[in-house]
């Protein structure tokens, strides 16, 4: 006959036993190690996703740019003001002030000749990785309206040395469409007007190459481009001089500087901006 045997205090303590402090610390350490391994991968995945979105934005802008020409007897939208018979694709001089030019899409964006050709989608005029913010006079903080600029090849070409390098006012005259970029992401501390200047003369030498305007390098040291043949890409910069970390402060970044170790990048920009006459 079985009789009831009360549990000993030691058995009761064993059954109610939980984690010791050391065991808890080991679990926390394992979680921290796993998080440390996963976070860089998640960060790269986010950057890659932003890069894909950036390419899509550029592609839509370049498509609208082409459609405009097809509806305008082959004439291209210009990269700058005061181009004969050709309106500027985006007027206004952006900085980090509270001026409406920096945050109000009705100041310049909706007046752009490109606006009806891009689905009136305001977000495609800026890279999703751009964190430039504007504090309005009422204290509200909003994203800056634009991070994208157009090649000066489609403007007056003053930095190209236009007497020796081609500029284009018609779609049909572009010599190598697959190697002629239209729009890119400009560095947030470099951007001002909507035209991006590239040096062509002397760009193929490390002793003479200069960075005029700075492109962005949001995507792990790479920049988004859209070309006149319709394709877009994320181009990786090889040198370090061109990859200046953004400070998001106006006039802090010196422009028109020696390219240094980024002369190969300036050479690539020149090769994909224009061809010699």
């Amino acid at each position: 006959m079985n009789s009831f045997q009360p549990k000993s205090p030691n058995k009761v303590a064993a059954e109610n036993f939980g984690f010791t402090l050391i065991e808890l610390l080991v679990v926390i350490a394992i979680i921290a190690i796993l998080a440390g391994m996963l976070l860089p991968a998640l960060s790269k995945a986010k950057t890659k996703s932003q890069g894909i979105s950036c390419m899509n934005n550029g592609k839509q802008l370049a498509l609208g740019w082409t459609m405009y020409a097809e509806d305008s007897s082959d004439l291209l939208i210009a990269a700058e003001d005061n181009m004969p018979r050709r309106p500027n694709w985006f007027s206004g001089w952006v900085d980090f002030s509270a001026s409406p030019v920096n945050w109000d899409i009705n100041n310049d964006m909706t007046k752009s000749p490109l606006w009806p050709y891009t689905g009136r989608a305001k977000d495609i005029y800026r890279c999703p990785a751009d964190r430039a913010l504007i504090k309005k006079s009422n204290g509200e903080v909003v994203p800056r309206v634009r991070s994208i600029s157009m090649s000066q090849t489609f403007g007056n070409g003053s930095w190209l040395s236009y007497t020796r390098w081609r500029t284009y006012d018609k779609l049909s005259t572009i010599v190598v469409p697959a190697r002629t970029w239209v729009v890119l992401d400009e560095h947030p501390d470099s951007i001002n007007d909507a035209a991006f200047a590239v040096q062509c003369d002397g760009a193929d030498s490390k002793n003479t190459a200069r960075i005029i305007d700075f492109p962005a390098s949001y995507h792990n040291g790479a920049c988004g481009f859209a070309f006149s043949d319709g394709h877009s890409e994320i181009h990786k910069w090889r040198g370090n001089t061109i990859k200046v970390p953004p400070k998001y402060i106006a006039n802090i970044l010196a422009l028109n500087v020696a390219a240094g170790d980024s002369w190969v990048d300036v050479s690539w920009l020149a090769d994909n901006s224009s061809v010699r006459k």
Side-chain angles (χ1 to χ4, degrees):
M1 180 177 178
N2 293 330
S3 60
F4 174 75
Q5 297 292 329
K7 295 180 180 178
S8 68
N10 289 338
K11 288 184 177 180
V12 173
E15 289 179 359
N16 294 330
F17 179 76
F19 287 113
T20 66
L21 178 59
I22 295 207
E23 288 173 328
L24 186 59
L25 290 174
V26 169
V27 171
I28 293 173
I30 292 172
I31 292 173
I33 291 170
L34 290 174
M37 294 170 63
L38 289 172
L39 284 176
L42 291 173
S43 178
K44 286 185 177 180
K46 180 181 178 182
T47 301
K48 186 173 182 179
S49 174
Q50 288 176 332
I52 293 171
S53 180
C54 177
M55 284 198 300
N56 287 335
N57 289 353
K59 193 173 185 68
Q60 289 183 65
L61 287 169
L63 177 61
W65 177 82
T66 301
M67 291 170 62
Y68 175 92
E70 291 171 347
D71 286 346
S72 304
S73 302
D74 206 37
L75 279 176
L76 294 169
I77 293 174
E80 299 167 271
D81 289 323
N82 304 316
M83 300 299 296
R85 300 184 300 154
R86 299 166 58 210
N88 189 354
W89 85 282
F90 206 120
S91 297
W93 188 280
V94 300
D95 51 29
F96 288 94
S97 72
S99 171
V101 71
N102 292 308
W103 56 266
D104 186 357
I105 66 170
N106 294 311
N107 199 85
D108 295 295
M109 185 185 294
T110 59
K111 300 173 184 176
S112 166
L114 205 55
W115 179 247
Y117 289 92
T118 54
R120 295 176 169 82
K122 65 182 179 63
D123 291 335
I124 69 172
Y125 291 82
R126 63 191 307 273
C127 176
D130 177 28
R131 295 186 288 107
L133 299 173
I134 301 299
K135 187 174 183 180
K136 297 164 59 175
S137 56
N138 64 2
E140 182 184 3
V141 177
V142 294
R144 194 160 60 179
V145 294
R146 177 175 62 84
S147 66
I148 291 177
S149 294
M150 184 176 288
S151 172
Q152 205 177 55
T153 302
F154 305 105
N156 60 38
S158 56
W159 287 102
L160 296 173
S161 297
Y162 62 87
T163 57
R164 292 181 291 276
W165 297 83
R166 293 181 182 273
T167 57
Y168 302 114
D169 62 355
K170 291 185 176 182
L171 188 64
S172 60
T173 62
I174 299 174
V175 178
V176 190
R179 290 180 55 192
T180 307
W181 66 271
V182 180
V183 292
L184 59 53
D185 295 317
E186 187 166 353
H187 191 291
D189 304 333
S190 167
I191 197 168
N192 36 57
D193 67 357
F196 188 92
V198 173
Q199 175 204 28
C200 282
D201 280 350
D204 57 352
S205 169
K206 63 181 178 181
N207 297 320
T208 56
R210 299 185 68 82
I211 301 170
I212 312 301
D213 289 333
F214 274 79
S217 51
Y218 297 124
H219 310 295
N220 293 320
C223 177
F225 286 84
F227 290 75
S228 60
D229 71 335
H231 87 275
S232 60
E233 65 181 64
I234 300 296
H235 178 77
K236 185 81 170 179
W237 302 122
R238 294 170 60 185
N240 292 316
T241 306
I242 204 167
K243 295 184 290 189
V244 181
K247 300 290 185 184
Y248 295 99
I249 301 173
N251 302 320
I252 196 172
L253 181 60
L255 306 180
N256 191 8
V257 299
D261 67 347
S262 294
W263 75 270
V264 290
D265 300 307
V266 173
S267 181
W268 183 90
L269 276 169
D271 288 343
N272 287 272
S273 293
S274 183
V275 296
R276 289 189 179 275
K277 290 183 176 180

